[in-house]
Amino acid sequence: MARSSLRTSRMLIGVLAVTVTGTGVAYYKNSQKNKPIATDPANAPVTLVKSPGTAKPDDTLPLMAAVSPRPAATPTTAPTTKPAPSGALPLLSAQSTVSTPAAERRDGEASRSVAPVPPADVLSAAKSRLDAEDLLAARKILNDALLSGTLSPDQMQQAKQQLGAINDIVIFSPRKFVNDKFAESYVVKRGDLLSKIAAKHDITSDLLLRMNGMTDARKLRAEQALKIVNGPFNAVVTKSAFTLDLYLGNPGESGSMFVKQYKVALGRDDSTPMGTWMVEAGKKQTNPKFWGSGPDHPPMEADDPKNPLGEFWIGLVGTDGHALDKHGYGIHGTIEPDSIGKQASLGCIRLKNEDAAIVFEMLAEGKSFVLVKP
């Protein structure tokens, strides 16, 4: 009889335990129904941006796995640097591979919180950020200092040189950076065309190819995540220095960014007109024909080894200053690289061929302007 009572007591205790547990689970589930779900910003889905582009059926290619918008979490090798004078910034190579810091892998908090830096400390502060592999923060420090106009000529040149090296990685490589205010991700929709996507962001499809490690616009795939920079790029040519500086946004204004500097040749006898020029619609050409300029400079076919234009031509039309309403001028390559840094052209802006190839990709027809100043 005692055993029967004990067995009955244990069964009652078991029933009570199950009942209490079930009630607790039900209460917990009900309490969570309207509770917001915490998410990691780095794992948030990419917002789809509408594109006006449409394509023929044969322009739509098979589905491809999307490119991850987050950089790899596994560190790679340390950045390669060239020897620099004491006190100067280390120079990043365009081919450098750099580790991915936690700030960049997660939410980029370190890159967002960059305090103002006194002019005397700009280069050392930027170097400190580079040593920590925070390229966005280093770029912001240097760019803010350039826009402030407080740097000495030597500091300014060092800052431009380092910004160019940083942008070789941040802008021109497929590597993506969280919280880059000048870039974003775009998820390709079925029927999109690269040219339409580029035009919507005021850049060229050639630049989009380079930035995303692509070689053929026809291989665009639905669900592919593209790295995109919001343009347009604009240029400032300083005649006394024989330089062409490229910017995102209006050069020197708040919110703009210095991108890279190139050396140029200009017109003989100071013949390159000063003022503002627009990249003329329909006037960018690869492997251009030279139409001639007087009896001493006859027309030449595109493949003529004596063609002075090199492989790229960016036609310009004057919109202001001494350039107003002038045509026939442009930015182009050269068959005389030794002329760079001199007054040597017929009035155009001359670049080394490898530099002309990059500038050609960056300046957009009808969108980009070129300011020529003393």
Side-chain angles (χ1 to χ4, degrees):
M1 186 67 181
R3 288 184 179 178
S4 177
S5 298
L6 181 59
R7 186 179 302 111
T8 301
S9 298
R10 286 177 177 173
M11 289 176 64
L12 288 172
I13 291 171
V15 170
L16 286 171
V18 170
T19 301
V20 171
T21 302
T23 302
V25 170
Y27 175 79
Y28 176 78
K29 287 182 177 179
N30 287 332
S31 70
Q32 299 298 308
K33 279 184 179 178
N34 298 317
K35 187 174 181 180
I37 299 173
T39 58
D40 179 355
N43 287 325
V46 179
T47 302
L48 294 181
V49 182
K50 290 185 178 180
S51 168
T54 57
K56 299 175 183 178
D58 58 353
D59 288 331
T60 303
L61 298 172
L63 195 67
M64 172 184 172
V67 178
S68 171
R70 177 190 289 188
T74 304
T76 56
T77 58
T80 58
T81 58
K82 298 177 182 179
S86 177
L89 289 171
L91 293 182
L92 292 173
S93 165
Q95 288 76 37
S96 297
T97 53
V98 297
S99 303
T100 305
E104 184 183 316
R105 292 197 308 267
R106 301 296 297 177
D107 62 0
E109 186 65 38
S111 296
R112 290 202 302 268
S113 56
V114 180
V117 179
D121 299 331
V122 164
L123 298 180
S124 60
K127 181 180 183 302
S128 176
R129 293 289 187 159
L130 286 174
D131 289 343
E133 298 176 1
D134 192 346
L135 273 65
L136 293 185
R139 185 176 72 172
K140 178 171 173 54
I141 290 170
L142 294 167
N143 191 62
D144 287 352
L146 276 181
L147 295 182
S148 73
T150 57
L151 298 182
S152 69
D154 182 61
Q155 286 177 315
M156 186 180 301
Q157 197 55 41
Q158 282 198 58
K160 287 183 175 181
Q161 190 175 17
Q162 189 60 55
L163 279 166
I166 291 172
N167 284 321
D168 280 339
I169 299 171
V170 176
I171 294 180
F172 301 113
S173 80
R175 184 177 169 191
K176 296 176 182 176
F177 290 78
V178 176
N179 291 315
D180 182 355
K181 62 178 288 189
F182 296 97
E184 63 184 59
S185 285
Y186 177 88
V187 177
V188 177
K189 296 182 298 184
R190 194 171 295 278
D192 270 347
L193 296 174
L194 200 71
S195 58
K196 296 281 184 77
I197 298 171
K200 185 174 181 179
H201 293 270
D202 295 336
I203 56 177
T204 70
S205 52
D206 289 330
L207 179 60
L208 267 184
L209 288 173
R210 176 184 291 273
M211 289 171 53
N212 290 279
M214 299 170 61
T215 58
D216 190 343
R218 295 171 299 179
K219 294 184 178 180
L220 191 67
R221 300 290 189 269
E223 302 303 322
Q224 182 177 354
L226 293 178
K227 173 183 173 181
I228 297 214
V229 168
N230 294 302
F233 290 85
N234 298 301
V236 176
V237 173
T238 303
K239 296 181 72 170
S240 59
F242 294 97
T243 56
L244 183 152
D245 290 348
L246 279 160
Y247 290 81
L248 269 173
N250 291 329
E253 292 187 8
S254 177
S256 67
M257 182 181 67
F258 176 87
V259 176
K260 202 168 177 69
Q261 184 178 86
Y262 300 93
K263 295 293 288 185
V264 299
L266 298 169
R268 297 188 191 99
D269 302 319
D270 199 26
S271 60
T272 302
M274 289 188 292
T276 305
W277 304 79
M278 178 66 69
V279 176
E280 193 169 6
K283 296 296 184 180
K284 286 177 63 179
Q285 299 176 34
T286 57
N287 200 22
K289 177 179 179 178
F290 178 57
W291 293 97
S293 179
D296 295 334
H297 305 281
M300 298 180 192
E301 293 300 321
D303 296 324
D304 191 322
K306 295 181 180 179
N307 185 330
L309 302 182
E311 298 298 318
F312 300 93
W313 169 263
I314 305 169
L316 303 175
V317 57
T319 61
D320 190 35
H322 295 296
L324 184 62
D325 294 332
K326 285 184 167 58
H327 295 264
Y329 291 83
I331 302 172
H332 60 83
T334 182
I335 58 171
E336 300 175 355
D338 291 342
S339 68
I340 300 301
K342 304 174 184 176
Q343 293 186 4
S345 74
L346 299 175
C348 292
I349 300 164
R350 216 183 253 186
L351 288 159
K352 292 180 180 178
N353 288 326
E354 59 269 27
D355 294 342
I358 301 294
V359 175
F360 186 88
E361 293 179 356
M362 295 167 70
L363 298 182
E365 293 182 345
K367 304 280 182 67
S368 298
F369 69 80
V370 178
L371 173 64
V372 178
K373 66 178 190 177

